[in-house]
Amino acid sequence: MKKKNYVGIASTCHDPAIAIINSKGELVFAEATERNLQNKRAWNCVPDDLIRSRQLVREYCEPDADLVIATSWGESYIQRISNPLMQWLMNRRLTETNERTIKTMRQGMIANGRLAGKNIAINFQQQFGNSGIVEKSFNHHLTHAAFACYSSPFKEAVCVVADGFGEKGSTAFYHYINGTLTPVPGIPSSAGSLGMLYGFVCNACGFNHLDGEEWKVMGLAPYGKYNEEVYALLCEFLEVKGTVMIPKRRASDATRALKEVVKNWPGNGSLKYADLAFTAQVFFSDILSALLQNLYKKGISENLVFTGGCALNSAYNGKVQQTTNFKNMHVPCAPADDGNAVGAALLAYYQDHPVQKEIVNIKSPYLGSGMSVDAVERIIRFNKFNYARKSENIYQDTAKLLAEGKIIGWVQGKAEYGPRSLGNRSILADPRNENIKDIINSKVKFREEFRPFAPSILHEYGHEYFENYSESPYMEKALVFKKESFNKVPGVVHTDGTGRLQTVKKEYNERYYNLISAFKELTGIPILLNTSFNIMGKPIIHSVEDAVAMFCTTGIDALVIDDYLIML
């Protein structure tokens, strides 16, 4: 059989992405389009702009291979939503407040569904003169499930996809066994959408779900308390019956209703909405736990694979094994729509290779772009910094600066796939400093004071610092710190005593492991404060130039790119 390369395209109107699997079954690249464009969430942007896709084809595609381009929405769905009668009927149901948004989203879905992969195909043909190009499309929720299940440690599991919407609803359920994904019979997709409802809660809290600010609701929630009126109101919109979420009122009405409740609450700024955020998080947890527990009772598997946008709720993920009977859980590094680029590529690859084998690099999040060596060398050659040179002991030198209270921009190897910095595009600091959260929020990230920071911890010390410790390699869950740890690392303990941890092992990320180990040798603490290398409202940095620009315009004290240490 002739060689084939498989290009997966996440073709939703938001969070587009590209992934490439070569003929050897190696996942050689995966990255969200927002990184290259430096455009947060890249709304209505084509995943494969002409110039960028030319670079990707040249670097990652094999010249003697045919090309399979796979997208993350079914062709029939794109045709249906582009039907003029369907558009008219949907417009009749829209409220004034969300009409423009929904129209824009639909236009983006249609455009991306029709255009996705076209620039890749053009550049592949121009680069290699190869006309062997096949286009495929896959069900949206199936692409979610494929990436999540194939990247899991399980041979068998039940997979739950929960997000805003897919072709048929907001949920999907699959049985994964020995590399095969099969829909669980007898479970329809939910018409009610917990993802959409949480988005409207986000808006009611004064944030914007279109900007992906549901994170802020999770960060704000621990500052609030339970409110019966808010909970009762949320129950008017959604309920669980068995394994289905039932809509009771239009979720789009929720913003108006919730704002009316909060209107006369005392206080100013974001903290005014803390009780709303807390109660909404309780409601989110109750709904999902009821659904998952009812699924568990069907006896399909002890292992849960959880994915879709709802799986980004790390505060909830940390409680799943306490609120349900599932013994083990896996959440992928990119559970939202950007992850579907890999999912689509996987489905296309396995159609041609039905004898199952694990894709190389499928469990690694370090799949994105590297830093330009030429750009780093130009910094050293033409720098205007007080110090810019290659270090022979970069781990010890950086650990010493961290122990002295310096804030470090840490850039290594390939960028992380997914929304979280996992030690390759990170801002790092000493977690022993109880004021470090306020310092970074005000002088580096320029974001709200209530936003917490994540602890990256050496795996072998996890049980020493966390209650019911379990690995969290992708920063996918928040766990409760042991009380005796609070005073050791106050900079990464959230107000409710939790931390959205990242488990660090040498085999996961050797350079980051070595840095944390060097810090522990100096301080006795096997943890670093880790936050993404960006300012609020911008994507994580993509290039050397991005890193230097942020270094020079924020309160970061030193920048480390590979083995190069740069200080002002």
Side-chain angles (χ1 to χ4, degrees):
M1 186 172 68
K2 195 171 189 296
K3 283 185 180 180
K4 291 182 182 179
N5 286 180
Y6 299 82
V7 177
I9 303 286
S11 52
T12 308
C13 55
H14 59 80
D15 302 305
I18 297 178
I20 301 173
I21 297 174
N22 67 17
S23 63
K24 300 175 185 177
E26 299 169 332
L27 178 57
V28 292
F29 179 81
E31 187 170 80
T33 306
E34 71 166 22
R35 301 292 182 88
N36 174 59
L37 297 181
Q38 284 295 287
N39 177 3
K40 189 68 174 177
R41 304 198 75 191
W43 274 95
N44 286 358
C45 296
V46 294
D48 59 327
D49 71 85
L50 194 64
I51 304 301
R52 177 62 172 159
S53 63
R54 186 180 306 153
Q55 297 168 342
L56 297 180
V57 165
R58 185 183 303 118
E59 185 170 357
Y60 295 104
C61 291
E62 298 168 287
D64 55 344
D66 287 341
L67 193 67
V68 179
I69 298 174
T71 56
S72 63
W73 286 86
E75 178 64 28
S76 61
Y77 178 77
I78 299 300
Q79 292 175 352
R80 180 158 54 89
I81 65 171
S82 62
N83 181 292
L85 177 60
M86 176 60 67
Q87 292 188 43
W88 181 81
L89 289 171
M90 292 183 73
N91 287 343
R92 288 286 300 273
R93 298 202 300 268
L94 298 176
T95 65
E96 291 182 4
T97 56
N98 68 357
E99 180 175 358
R100 182 178 300 175
T101 297
I102 298 298
K103 283 183 178 179
T104 300
M105 290 175 66
R106 189 186 306 117
Q107 290 167 358
M109 287 290 296
I110 295 168
N112 278 0
R114 288 176 172 172
L115 299 176
K118 296 298 186 290
N119 287 325
I120 284 279
I122 290 169
N123 282 310
F124 186 79
Q125 287 176 329
Q126 290 178 345
Q127 182 74 26
F128 303 127
N130 194 329
S131 60
I133 297 174
V134 175
E135 296 182 20
K136 297 184 177 184
S137 60
F138 294 98
N139 174 277
H140 182 67
H141 282 156
L142 182 61
T143 61
H144 271 300
F147 178 46
C149 289
Y150 287 118
S151 66
S152 78
F154 308 134
K155 295 297 183 183
E156 64 83 27
V158 61
C159 177
V160 175
V161 183
D163 60 6
F165 64 95
E167 285 92 344
K168 295 182 179 179
S170 70
T171 57
F173 303 84
Y174 298 90
H175 188 196
Y176 175 72
I177 183 165
N178 295 325
T180 300
L181 275 166
T182 306
V184 177
I187 303 182
S189 182
S190 295
S193 174
L194 187 58
M196 292 295 289
L197 183 58
Y198 201 87
F200 289 118
V201 168
C202 175
N203 295 344
C205 287
F207 310 131
N208 191 332
H209 78 286
L210 296 179
D211 294 335
E213 293 187 334
E214 290 90 342
W215 305 102
K216 296 184 181 183
V217 180
M218 284 182 278
L220 180 61
Y223 290 88
K225 60 184 183 300
Y226 181 77
N227 183 288
E228 290 185 7
E229 184 180 8
V230 169
Y231 193 92
L233 181 59
L234 291 170
C235 288
E236 293 181 13
F237 290 92
L238 197 66
E239 67 177 344
V240 172
K241 290 186 178 179
T243 52
V244 178
M245 290 182 284
I246 306 295
K248 300 170 70 176
R249 290 174 58 188
R250 289 192 308 185
S252 57
D253 294 333
T255 301
R256 188 187 315 108
L258 291 168
K259 283 185 175 179
E260 189 64 27
V261 170
V262 176
K263 182 173 63 176
N264 296 319
W265 287 2
N268 296 302
S270 297
L271 290 175
K272 172 179 179 176
Y273 302 98
D275 290 357
L276 171 57
F278 181 93
T279 308
Q281 184 67 28
V282 171
F283 181 79
F284 180 94
S285 300
D286 288 349
I287 289 285
L288 265 182
S289 291
L291 184 145
L292 293 177
Q293 184 61 12
N294 290 338
L295 177 65
Y296 175 84
K297 291 176 182 177
K298 293 183 177 294
I300 301 168
S301 177
E302 299 282 319
N303 301 319
L304 171 67
V305 173
F306 184 37
T307 189
C310 289
L312 286 171
N313 195 311
S314 53
Y316 173 70
N317 291 346
K319 300 176 180 178
V320 168
Q321 288 169 263
Q322 283 73 54
T323 58
T324 75
N325 290 116
F326 283 105
K327 301 297 187 292
N328 306 291
M329 183 179 74
H330 170 74
V331 176
C333 62
D337 280 14
D338 52 342
N340 291 349
V342 173
L346 286 166
L347 290 168
Y349 179 86
Y350 281 126
Q351 277 190 350
D352 290 339
H353 302 82
V355 177
Q356 305 295 335
K357 65 176 182 177
E358 184 172 292
I359 298 294
V360 177
N361 296 328
I362 189 62
K363 292 181 172 63
S364 173
Y366 307 107
L367 299 166
S369 300
M371 288 285 152
S372 166
V373 175
D374 289 344
V376 176
E377 290 178 348
R378 285 197 300 271
I379 290 177
I380 303 303
R381 183 179 177 188
F382 299 113
N383 79 85
K384 306 296 190 297
F385 303 112
N386 289 327
Y387 186 99
R389 65 190 65 173
K390 192 170 186 177
S391 169
E392 299 298 325
N393 301 289
I394 194 62
Y395 308 121
Q396 290 74 18
D397 290 346
T398 305
K400 185 174 183 293
L401 290 171
L402 287 164
E404 292 171 354
K406 304 298 184 185
I407 299 170
I408 307 296
W410 178 258
V411 182
Q412 304 290 316
K414 289 193 167 189
E416 300 89 341
Y417 184 46
R420 298 175 179 117
S421 289
L422 301 172
N424 277 14
R425 301 290 183 273
S426 293
I427 295 170
L428 306 176
D430 186 344
R432 298 175 299 167
N433 184 348
E434 62 182 356
N435 298 315
I436 194 64
K437 184 181 80 167
D438 294 335
I439 293 170
I440 296 178
N441 275 332
S442 62
K443 294 184 178 181
V444 178
K445 302 284 281 191
F446 307 113
R447 66 184 196 177
E448 298 87 352
E449 71 280 3
F450 61 81
R451 303 281 295 279
F453 293 103
S456 292
I457 184 168
L458 299 180
H459 168 62
E460 52 267 37
Y461 298 96
H463 291 284
E464 182 179 326
Y465 281 82
F466 288 97
E467 303 284 354
N468 301 310
Y469 171 74
S470 60
E471 288 188 44
S472 180
Y474 309 130
M475 215 181 278
E476 71 273 19
K477 66 183 77 163
L479 298 180
V480 177
F481 274 100
K482 291 185 174 179
K483 289 185 178 179
E484 57 268 30
S485 301
F486 285 14
N487 293 330
K488 293 181 181 180
V489 287
V492 290
V493 180
H494 200 21
T495 189
D496 61 350
T498 66
R500 192 189 69 200
L501 71 153
Q502 175 197 1
T503 296
V504 181
K505 289 182 175 181
K506 198 163 191 174
E507 58 265 36
Y508 292 168
N509 189 328
E510 183 173 359
R511 290 180 69 85
Y512 195 34
Y513 181 92
N514 289 342
L515 175 62
I516 302 175
S517 296
F519 182 77
K520 182 185 182 300
E521 288 179 12
L522 288 175
T523 65
I525 301 296
I527 294 174
L528 285 178
L529 180 153
N530 178 10
T531 187
S532 56
F533 203 146
N534 69 314
I535 61 173
M536 188 174 75
K538 292 287 289 181
I540 294 169
I541 58 144
H542 180 72
S543 66
V544 171
E545 291 80 4
D546 295 335
V548 172
M550 186 169 169
F551 172 48
C552 292
T553 57
T554 69
I556 294 175
D557 297 303
L559 175 63
V560 178
I561 303 179
D562 296 329
D563 287 327
Y564 291 92
L565 175 60
I566 303 166
M567 292 186 285
L568 295 173

